[in-house]
Amino acid sequence: MTKKNMITAASIAAGYLLVDLLMKAGIIDSYIFLNLVSIGLNIILAVSLNLITGFTGQFSLGHAAFMSIGAYASGILTVKFDLPFSLGILGAALSAAAAGLFIGIPTLRLKGDYLAIATLGFGEIVRIVGLNSDYIGGAMGLNDIPRYTNWPWLYSMVLFTIIVIHNFIHSYHGRAVLSIKEDELASTAMGVPVSRYKILVFSMGAFFAGIAGALYANYFYFIRPDSFGFMKSIDILVIVVLGGLGSIKGSVISAVVLSLLSLSLQGIPELRMVIYAVILFIMMVYKPQNILKKLIRKVWKEA
C-alpha cells in the first residue's frame, strides 16, 4: 500500500470509530442519526447517478424508480419472508439491477431529452404499479418493516458504493465509458461496444440505487410509492449537478451540503424547491464544473 492509501484507510476507520463512540456515549441521538442516514442515502444515490449521467453522459430521470424497486424488494423479503437484512439488501440490489437492464435495452439509441423522457416514463410506470398493487399495500404503503439499518450497515454500504464506482471508472472499462461520453461515434469506430457498456452502466447505477432503497425501507419502517416520485429523482439530479458531473468527490460534498439544507428547510418545503430551482438555473446557464468543490478549496486556501 502507498502512503496515500494508508492515510485514506486510516481516515475511513477513524471516521467509523468516531461516530460509533459518539453514538455509544449518547452524544449522537436519534435525530442526528436520522441526518446521517439521509446523508448516507444521498451519497449512494448521487454517486450511482453520476456514473450514469456524469461519467457516461446518459441523462436519466428515473433513479428514484430504481430506489423504489430496491425498497419494496427489501421490504417484501424482510417482512413477508422474514429473511435477514443481508439477503434483503442483495435482493433489492439485484431487483433494481434487473430493472436497469430492462429499461437500458430498449433505450439504447435514445440520447439527451428523449432518454430523460423515457426514464421519467419508467419512473411513473413503477409508481403507478406500486399504487395499484395490493400485495405491497397499494396507496397505503408497506408497513411494519423491521429496522435493520444501523451505523455499520450504512457506513459499509456508502464505502462499498464509492469504492466500486471509483475503481470501475479508473479501470479499462471505465475508460471505455468515458470515451462514450466524449464521442459515441468515435468510440464505436475504435471498437468500443457502446450498447453493452450503456446497459452495464444503467444496471450498475440501478444496483446501488436498490441498495439505497433497502437502507431507506429498513430504517423508516414504512414506504409508499409516492415517496419515490419525480421530485425525488430531481433531488438526486440537483446533488449531482451541484457537485459536478463526473466528480465522485463533488457528489459526496454536495450530498452532505444539500442533505443538511433540505433537513433545515423541512418546515417550509416550498422554499426548498425554490432553492433547488435556482441552483439548477445557475448550473444550466453558466455550466461551472465542480463549483462546490472549487469553492471549498478556495475557502480552505484563504483560511
Side-chain angles (χ1 to χ4, degrees):
M1 293 182 66
T2 63
K3 183 178 180 180
K4 181 180 179 180
N5 290 339
M6 292 178 65
I7 294 175
T8 301
S11 301
I12 291 172
Y16 171 82
L17 292 175
L18 176 62
V19 174
D20 189 56
L21 289 174
L22 292 176
M23 290 180 64
K24 291 179 178 178
I27 298 175
I28 295 181
D29 56 15
S30 59
Y31 177 74
I32 297 177
F33 185 68
L34 170 64
N35 295 346
L36 292 178
V37 171
S38 177
I39 291 172
L41 293 177
N42 282 335
I43 290 175
I44 295 174
L45 292 168
V47 173
S48 57
L49 179 60
N50 213 342
L51 175 64
I52 299 173
T53 302
F55 290 104
T56 316
Q58 300 182 83
F59 189 31
S60 173
L61 288 177
H63 215 55
F66 299 133
M67 181 184 181
S68 173
I69 292 171
Y72 274 101
S74 179
I76 291 171
L77 292 175
T78 55
V79 173
K80 297 183 179 295
F81 294 95
D82 198 26
L83 294 177
F85 189 39
S86 56
L87 293 180
I89 289 182
L90 180 61
L94 293 178
S95 299
L101 181 65
F102 172 78
I103 188 62
I105 292 177
T107 58
L108 286 176
R109 299 184 182 275
L110 299 179
K111 299 178 183 178
D113 298 341
Y114 299 103
L115 178 61
I117 293 171
T119 54
L120 175 61
F122 171 73
E124 286 301 300
I125 290 173
V126 171
R127 188 178 69 85
I128 296 301
V129 169
L131 287 172
N132 292 277
S133 178
D134 294 332
Y135 182 72
I136 55 176
M140 298 298 293
L142 186 62
N143 301 305
D144 299 324
I145 302 175
R147 175 172 280 187
Y148 290 139
T149 300
N150 53 22
W151 175 239
W153 274 114
L154 179 67
Y155 196 77
S156 60
M157 290 299 102
V158 170
L159 281 181
F160 175 65
T161 302
I162 294 174
I163 291 173
V164 170
I165 293 180
H166 177 272
N167 289 340
F168 175 79
I169 292 301
H170 290 83
S171 67
Y172 166 82
H173 303 289
R175 291 192 292 272
V177 165
L178 293 174
S179 72
I180 295 173
K181 175 187 176 182
E182 296 300 327
D183 194 321
E184 185 173 323
L185 183 60
S187 300
T188 303
M190 293 298 294
V192 176
V194 174
S195 300
R196 186 187 307 170
Y197 277 114
K198 281 187 175 181
I199 294 175
L200 174 63
V201 165
F202 246 106
S203 298
M204 282 188 64
F207 179 92
F208 291 107
I211 291 177
L215 294 172
Y216 178 94
N218 289 96
Y219 180 78
F220 289 102
Y221 299 116
F222 167 77
I223 53 176
R224 55 196 303 264
D226 288 339
S227 301
F228 310 98
F230 169 69
M231 293 312 302
K232 183 61 179 178
S233 293
I234 293 297
D235 287 348
I236 305 168
L237 180 62
V238 170
I239 295 174
V240 173
V241 172
L242 179 62
L245 297 176
S247 172
I248 294 179
K249 292 181 180 179
S251 293
V252 173
I253 296 172
S254 179
V256 174
V257 172
L258 286 186
S259 296
L260 295 177
L261 177 63
S262 179
L263 288 169
S264 64
L265 297 176
Q266 280 186 341
I268 41 176
E270 297 83 4
L271 181 59
R272 179 174 69 91
M273 297 315 302
V274 170
I275 293 174
Y276 276 21
V278 171
I279 291 173
L280 275 178
F281 173 78
I282 294 174
M283 298 296 290
M284 292 299 104
V285 171
Y286 298 101
K287 296 182 179 179
Q289 296 296 318
N290 304 334
I291 183 173
L292 190 60
K293 183 180 176 182
K294 289 183 177 180
L295 179 61
I296 292 176
R297 184 179 298 175
K298 181 179 179 181
V299 173
W300 176 262
K301 288 183 178 180
E302 290 178 353

